[in-house]
Amino acid sequence: MNPSARKPARKPVIAGNWKMYKTIAETESFFAEIRPLVAGSAHCDIVIAPPFTLLRRAVEAAEGSGISISAQNLHWESEGAWTGEVSAAMIRDAGCRSTLIGHSERRQLFGETDEGVSKKIRAALDAGLQAIVCVGESLAEREAGDTEKVLERQLSGGLAGLTGQDFSRIIMAYEPVWAIGTGRTATPEIAQQAHNFIRSRLGQAGPPEAAGRMRILYGGSVKPGNIQGLMAQPDIDGALVGGASLEAKSFAAIVNFRA
Ligand code: PEP
């Protein structure tokens, strides 16, 4: 298939993951600064994922800007005795349109499993949220030659039982753990290879046309200086950005990668 004929059909997504950063005042300043910088950026979907305490304020501050707000995590139950947890319905109620699921920090530091990822995807989709599902191998796994095995396991475990319609509300994010917060970006070629593998596996797990339409984002030390090379790859449809999403100017420069 000709990549240049295929790529325009998938609208790019540039998403920022704020992790555990920012106060309400800093959130207000961020949106005041970024709004004019992305006012003409209709070429891509723009998403910001702040911590839970900032979600409602971020939704209000982003209103009318074209930026949608995402949570970073959720619990799979709709309500109940789950101290410290937040449900998909609550996230939706705060005005969010999506949630990250299975970020490597959740997997590595908080024991998130593929089974948990699968339950969270179901809960998010059932509540009307889009799911931004993260997969990726560690450095040891890459060095052992296990990258595809790990991606395969995360995809088959996490996406088990989903329909073609479910696929249309999922965005995948390939985030090699060794590239997150390390300044060590995967080369565009390495990222493309993994994205291509993910797309081919998605095509086996669900309807091939749904896999062809799914946006697959790259994440791992994306900066204004490397976004163009990544976006030139046929299977890279956007970016999930950590550190560089905290500054309005650098995040806007990534959003405006075509300029
Ligand atoms: C992330 O947190 O998802 C991420 C990719 O972080 P960074 O861009 O800082 O590597």
Side-chain angles (χ1 to χ4, degrees):
M1 203 186 309
N2 173 1
S4 56
R6 177 176 48 158
K7 201 157 182 186
R10 297 193 297 263
K11 190 175 186 189
V13 182
I14 303 292
N17 172 16
W18 280 3
K19 309 194 187 200
M20 198 170 74
Y21 289 100
K22 290 200 189 291
T23 60
I24 290 176
E26 287 165 348
T27 299
E28 288 166 349
S29 307
F30 176 92
F31 282 100
E33 192 181 346
I34 201 164
R35 288 182 70 114
L37 302 178
V38 299
S41 309
H43 62 282
C44 68
D45 291 338
I46 312 172
V47 180
I48 291 282
F52 286 129
T53 55
L54 304 174
L55 290 179
R56 185 64 206 161
R57 189 64 202 99
V59 165
E60 288 161 2
E63 204 178 326
S65 68
I67 303 173
S68 75
I69 304 302
S70 168
Q72 297 176 14
N73 184 30
L74 75 159
H75 193 272
W76 55 78
E77 293 289 344
S78 54
E79 61 181 8
W82 299 97
T83 303
E85 296 292 334
V86 175
S87 74
M90 292 168 181
I91 290 165
R92 181 101 168 124
D93 187 45
C96 293
R97 301 248 297 275
S98 56
T99 180
L100 305 184
I101 298 178
H103 190 279
S104 65
E105 286 153 17
R106 302 293 322 165
R107 292 178 189 262
Q108 292 205 314
L109 306 173
F110 300 98
E112 187 129 306
T113 61
D114 294 325
E115 191 195 349
V117 167
S118 167
K119 292 202 269 192
K120 289 181 179 192
I121 294 173
R122 186 73 269 150
L125 299 182
D126 287 349
L129 292 169
Q130 197 170 39
I132 304 175
V133 182
C134 307
V135 294
E137 80 287 0
S138 68
L139 184 58
E141 289 163 341
R142 173 159 285 269
E143 286 178 346
D146 287 341
T147 298
E148 294 191 351
K149 204 165 87 187
V150 170
L151 294 176
E152 165 84 45
R153 191 199 67 227
Q154 293 173 337
L155 291 168
S156 56
L159 304 184
L162 297 177
T163 65
Q165 211 189 354
D166 293 333
F167 266 43
S168 69
R169 293 188 296 134
I170 292 176
I171 295 174
M172 290 303 305
Y174 169 61
E175 296 210 307
V177 179
W178 46 272
I180 297 180
T182 59
R184 186 180 164 191
T185 325
T187 63
E189 293 72 25
I190 287 177
Q192 165 58 25
Q193 209 175 18
H195 281 229
N196 185 265
F197 176 77
I198 291 169
R199 196 176 303 287
S200 71
R201 289 300 297 117
L202 291 171
Q204 289 162 20
E209 62 282 4
R213 277 196 301 270
M214 195 179 291
R215 274 100 47 102
I216 307 177
L217 317 184
Y218 167 78
S221 299
V222 173
K223 308 278 180 241
N226 57 28
I227 183 68
Q228 276 192 1
L230 290 161
M231 290 304 294
Q233 298 297 319
D235 285 294
I236 299 183
D237 306 312
L240 179 53
V241 185
S245 73
L246 293 170
E247 295 273 334
K249 279 195 188 65
S250 60
F251 188 63
I254 294 170
V255 167
N256 295 322
F257 65 91
R258 282 186 178 163

